[in-house]
Amino acid sequence: MKTFKIGGVHPNDSKLSASQPIEVMGLPAKAVIPLSQHIGAPATPVVEKGAHVVVGQLIAQGTGFMSANIHSPYSGTIEKIDNAVDAWGMPCKSIFINVEGDEWDESIDRTDTLVRAFSYTPEEIVKKISDAGIVGLGGACFPTHVKLSIKAPAKADVLIINGVECEPYLTCDHRLMMEHGEELMIGIKILMKAINVDRAIIGIECNKPDVIKHLTDLSIKHFGIEVCPLKMHYPQGGEKQLIDACIGRQVPSGALPISVGAVVDNVATCFAVYEAVQKNKPLIDRVVTITGDKMSHPCNLKVRFGTPLKDLIDKAGGLPTEGEYKMIAGGPMMGRSFCNIDSPSSKRTSGILILPESKARRNEEENCIRCGKCIDACPMGLEPYLLSRLSEVKNWDLMEEHNVMDCIECGCCLYTCPANRPLLDYIRMGKQTVGGIIRARAQKK
């Protein structure tokens, strides 16, 4: 069975909610829609206070090249456009909506009818995806229309679909593949046409045998689509690791997947593409996993953006009443702890993990023993101990020289360190600083 060649670790997958079917989350009385739900410039509001909006209506437009449209997930009245406090306590300009009923834009097909046929040109597909505000739903939230706009001489020859979901605890992609496999296949065919390739590979780890069988059976009816079972190996969901595992090509340092002829999209993104192109439905919701060892009802919820995180947690049984815990947005490896449960869900929200104190507590930090385990574990071939130390002493030039921007922040180094060094914390801080230096340097040219 295939996997990537460099580094990686094998944490317990803890897929507590894998057997839980997708449930539809109810509507809140009030919703807050952040204007920054993607990599790049925040969207610009195109509605004003007091305006009535319906579900699917454009409420903020992506005005830059690296930006994405935002649509209303609700019908109601715009209460105000103001800063809201995000999950990490930071201000984020947002649109506040008083939810009133559930009136949808008439152009959206809300039926369960499966729409297979499409005759759009690649350019028309990319435009519909752009209009719908679709971003990568695997975590990065990179605007999908930008990824699909391949400039010559670059050319894709394979589309790789990320169904790995290697992050422990998360199962939203698992359930989506099981319950919406046909729609996923059509979404893949649409993306294949958009980038003009005749081959697509769906990478799925072997801890999902039900999904592997289900999609393999479906792929027989769809020429050019194949399922590639993979070993369990974190972080196999990373673009470069998935490309290596599926087709054996290594993306060079600083390069993008298209440099080796590949485009990678997450399964949730493919489903959103199906809904946008075939149903005219913009990206207004997604499946979110709410889970944790002490949660009474770990579940997978179909959530409209703007729903308070507290409502999702309550749906899963509420916060534990005994002991201390940590709240994490995402999974335990790449997710980040947050403090504000009144903050809204967004395109970035793939999961909420409530970890008990026994698993969330960091052990006492000790001196580095130069064992090299962090180097062996790094899937990007970096030297985490060195990058961490350079960040501590603020040697940004040397960090850049040692390719800190290649770090995918997977946490493998932190996971393996016997001295409990906060390697990833320092590397993240340094990477952010070095990235700012690189952008400032580019603007001067």
Side-chain angles (χ1 to χ4, degrees):
M1 202 172 286
K2 295 181 176 181
T3 190
F4 59 95
K5 300 176 182 63
I6 301 174
V9 294
H10 300 273
N12 189 325
D13 64 358
S14 301
K15 303 291 188 178
L16 308 178
S17 52
S19 62
Q20 296 297 317
I22 297 169
E23 303 174 57
V24 178
M25 185 67 195
L27 305 183
K30 293 179 179 288
V32 179
I33 315 298
L35 296 177
S36 183
Q37 299 187 41
H38 49 264
I39 285 179
T44 302
V46 294
V47 292
E48 297 179 348
K49 176 181 177 180
H52 178 77
V53 295
V54 298
V55 179
Q57 178 179 333
L58 181 70
I59 58 174
Q61 192 161 26
T63 52
F65 171 71
M66 193 69 72
S67 189
N69 292 340
I70 295 174
H71 301 77
S72 177
Y74 309 95
S75 61
T77 303
I78 304 297
E79 179 186 354
K80 60 180 177 178
I81 301 173
D82 200 356
N83 280 336
V85 179
D86 69 12
W88 297 273
M90 301 298 292
C92 177
K93 192 171 183 182
S94 305
I95 296 176
F96 293 69
I97 301 177
N98 291 323
V99 180
E100 302 159 357
D102 196 26
E103 179 187 356
W104 286 59
D105 187 299
E106 294 180 353
S107 66
I108 300 173
D109 179 359
R110 299 178 62 194
T111 69
D112 292 331
T113 305
L114 187 69
V115 183
R116 296 182 181 277
F118 60 90
S119 57
Y120 300 106
T121 65
E123 294 75 20
E124 289 171 336
I125 291 172
V126 173
K127 185 178 188 306
K128 286 185 75 71
I129 289 171
S130 176
D131 290 345
I134 296 176
V135 300
L137 297 178
C141 289
F142 192 95
T144 302
H145 68 278
V146 176
K147 181 180 287 189
L148 300 177
S149 302
I150 302 170
K151 304 296 184 184
K155 188 180 187 304
D157 60 33
V158 62
L159 172 67
I160 297 179
I161 304 303
N162 185 354
V164 172
E165 200 166 44
C166 61
E167 183 78 46
Y169 287 95
L170 300 188
T171 60
C172 48
D173 287 350
H174 185 153
R175 295 313 311 173
L176 190 66
M177 289 186 282
M178 283 301 297
E179 298 180 38
H180 295 284
E182 285 282 11
E183 295 95 325
L184 174 61
M185 289 292 170
I186 297 168
I188 293 172
K189 298 294 283 189
I190 292 169
L191 287 170
M192 290 170 68
K193 184 168 183 180
I195 59 174
N196 192 30
V197 300
D198 55 14
R199 184 189 183 200
I201 302 171
I202 310 173
I204 307 172
E205 285 195 329
C206 63
N207 62 342
K208 307 175 189 64
D210 53 346
V211 176
I212 291 173
K213 182 182 185 307
H214 179 53
L215 294 189
T216 299
D217 291 344
L218 290 178
S219 68
I220 295 172
K221 300 181 292 184
H222 296 274
F223 178 78
I225 301 177
E226 60 187 275
V227 174
C228 180
L230 302 169
K231 291 181 181 178
M232 285 179 60
H233 194 182
Y234 180 87
Q236 198 148 232
E239 281 191 330
K240 294 184 178 182
Q241 287 69 40
L242 188 57
I243 292 169
D244 184 13
C246 289
I247 59 175
R249 301 176 191 171
Q250 286 74 47
V251 180
S253 173
L256 297 172
I258 192 61
S259 67
V260 295
V263 171
V264 181
D265 276 303
N266 178 266
V267 291
T269 309
C270 294
F271 179 68
V273 166
Y274 165 80
E275 291 197 309
V277 175
Q278 303 296 76
K279 297 286 191 173
N280 203 40
K281 178 187 171 185
L283 184 58
I284 58 171
D285 57 23
R286 67 168 296 163
V287 182
V288 180
T289 299
I290 318 298
T291 186
D293 298 86
K294 301 294 185 181
M295 301 296 284
S296 62
H297 179 52
C299 54
N300 302 290
L301 303 176
K302 186 176 183 181
V303 179
R304 296 195 202 179
F305 307 136
T307 303
L309 299 184
K310 181 181 184 301
D311 292 3
L312 311 188
I313 295 171
D314 288 344
K315 185 75 171 178
L319 292 171
T321 56
E322 297 181 359
E324 296 182 356
Y325 52 84
K326 177 180 284 188
M327 302 182 298
I328 298 174
M333 298 297 288
M334 294 190 73
R336 300 195 181 195
S337 60
F338 67 96
C339 57
N340 180 20
I341 63 173
D342 293 318
S343 61
S345 64
S346 71
K347 298 176 184 181
R348 300 178 184 272
T349 310
S350 60
I352 298 174
L353 171 60
I354 310 300
L355 270 187
E357 192 267 347
S358 59
K359 288 190 174 183
R361 182 183 64 246
R362 290 193 180 186
N363 294 323
E364 186 176 352
E365 180 183 339
E366 300 176 8
N367 291 329
C368 175
I369 60 174
R370 302 295 191 270
C371 65
K373 286 186 176 181
C374 62
I375 299 174
D376 292 338
C378 180
M380 297 303 297
L382 303 176
E383 298 175 283
Y385 80 92
L386 175 61
L387 292 172
S388 173
R389 180 58 184 155
L390 292 174
S391 180
E392 281 189 83
V393 299
K394 297 181 172 53
N395 192 331
W396 314 129
D397 290 341
L398 207 51
M399 285 195 80
E400 181 179 355
E401 185 178 325
H402 282 270
N403 301 319
V404 69
M405 298 309 294
D406 283 347
C407 173
I408 60 173
E409 303 180 27
C410 64
C412 287
C413 55
L414 181 63
Y415 182 83
T416 58
C417 180
N420 307 309
R421 305 282 296 173
L423 300 172
L424 181 58
D425 297 352
Y426 279 115
I427 293 172
R428 273 178 171 163
M429 180 182 71
K431 181 181 173 184
Q432 184 175 18
T433 302
V434 171
I437 292 171
I438 292 172
R439 288 189 294 274
R441 187 167 62 224
Q443 289 176 353
K444 292 181 180 179
K445 292 183 178 179

